[in-house]
Amino acid sequence: MTPIRVVVADDQELVRAGFGMILDAQPDIEVVAEACDGAEAVEAVREHGPDVLLLDVRMPVMDGLEAARRVCAEFPSTKVIMLTTFDIDDYVFDALYAGASGFLLKDVRRDDLAHGVRMVASGEALLAPSVTRRLIGEFAARRPGGRERAVRPPSKLLEQLTLRERETLRLIARGLSNAEIAAELVVSEHTVKTHVSNVLSKLGLRDRVHAVVFAYEAGAVVAGES
């Protein structure tokens, strides 16, 4: 099995070393580099081409937000997880727009840390359903205008989806897992995975987190909808 290659970037040495030790102890994860600021993180990604970058939000020289922008733009195959001490943070919202695939709190349990890296590396959802609803709901409320798009507005892009794919997108945005979506639509999980893959492909989205953001921007769901 090819291990998931990870770069850990945090200006606090103990945090950086601790996360590195936890991840390196996993049989399927390898920490290929550490960085103490955003500029070093970008260089580490450029040199090592990791699958996942764990990136602290607040760092000297170059903050995590700018580093996320650069990594997501220049190295789209590297998934970015933002690290923060806050469960709701303006920088995290900006990081999602920049292309990050989610966030973890710094007090995350070691098992959840490894699980989060695995999930993001595989393209699955990182955030738990309840966190997804709270985070993206707040995200949408703070940015009612949504992100500018160079080609077509999100609502027009929705026309590319079949009715069942639109239903799948709406349920993703509500924070449902594949199993929960399958139960809601009365189909198999394999069918749900196909729908999710089609949604991401047709809309040009990196992962499920960005499918949630897109759904709010396009008006497929409304902040606070259950």
Side-chain angles (χ1 to χ4, degrees):
M1 181 189 304
T2 303
I4 300 169
R5 305 174 75 251
V6 178
V7 168
V8 179
D10 194 295
D11 61 327
Q12 298 180 44
E13 183 178 359
L14 290 179
V15 172
R16 189 171 69 244
F19 280 10
M21 290 176 61
I22 291 170
L23 293 175
D24 245 350
Q26 306 300 313
D28 59 336
I29 299 176
E30 176 187 3
V31 176
V32 296
E34 295 181 5
C36 64
D37 59 56
E40 282 193 8
V42 174
E43 286 304 313
V45 170
R46 180 174 290 115
E47 179 178 353
H48 297 280
D51 302 299
V52 176
L53 168 63
L54 279 179
L55 186 62
D56 187 19
V57 172
R58 304 182 184 212
M59 292 186 293
V61 182
M62 179 191 297
D63 66 23
L65 175 58
E66 180 60 26
R69 286 196 186 105
R70 297 192 185 189
V71 169
C72 292
E74 297 179 34
F75 312 99
S77 62
T78 296
K79 301 294 181 66
V80 175
I81 300 175
M82 304 303 297
L83 296 169
T84 179
T85 54
F86 309 99
D87 61 350
I88 295 295
D89 188 315
D90 286 335
Y91 284 106
V92 174
F93 300 142
D94 289 337
L96 290 176
Y97 268 137
S101 294
F103 80 98
L104 289 172
L105 299 180
K106 284 190 178 180
D107 62 358
V108 63
R109 298 185 307 168
R110 64 176 62 205
D111 289 345
D112 290 337
L113 173 64
H115 178 69
V117 167
R118 293 186 185 103
M119 295 301 285
V120 165
S122 68
E124 293 293 328
L126 167 62
L127 305 177
S130 61
V131 177
T132 300
R133 283 191 289 267
R134 186 181 74 249
L135 174 66
I136 303 303
E138 180 77 6
F139 176 72
R142 292 193 184 195
R143 297 181 177 277
R147 174 175 45 185
E148 294 182 1
R149 289 179 177 268
V151 185
R152 286 172 292 173
S155 58
K156 297 292 291 184
L157 291 174
L158 280 175
E159 296 174 3
Q160 300 181 56
L161 304 181
T162 66
L163 178 59
R164 186 46 60 95
E165 288 166 355
R166 292 189 195 186
E167 292 175 339
T168 300
L169 175 62
R170 180 176 58 83
L171 295 174
I172 291 173
R174 285 173 49 196
L176 273 64
S177 66
N178 282 354
E180 292 168 331
I181 293 174
E184 184 85 9
L185 299 181
V186 194
V187 297
S188 69
E189 283 193 54
H190 176 75
T191 298
V192 171
K193 289 180 181 179
T194 298
H195 289 328
V196 172
S197 178
N198 289 342
V199 168
L200 297 181
S201 177
K202 289 182 178 181
L203 299 180
L205 303 172
R206 286 170 63 97
D207 52 37
R208 292 172 70 116
V209 171
H210 293 98
V212 176
V213 174
F214 178 95
Y216 278 100
E217 289 184 336
V221 289
V222 178
E225 179 181 71
S226 62

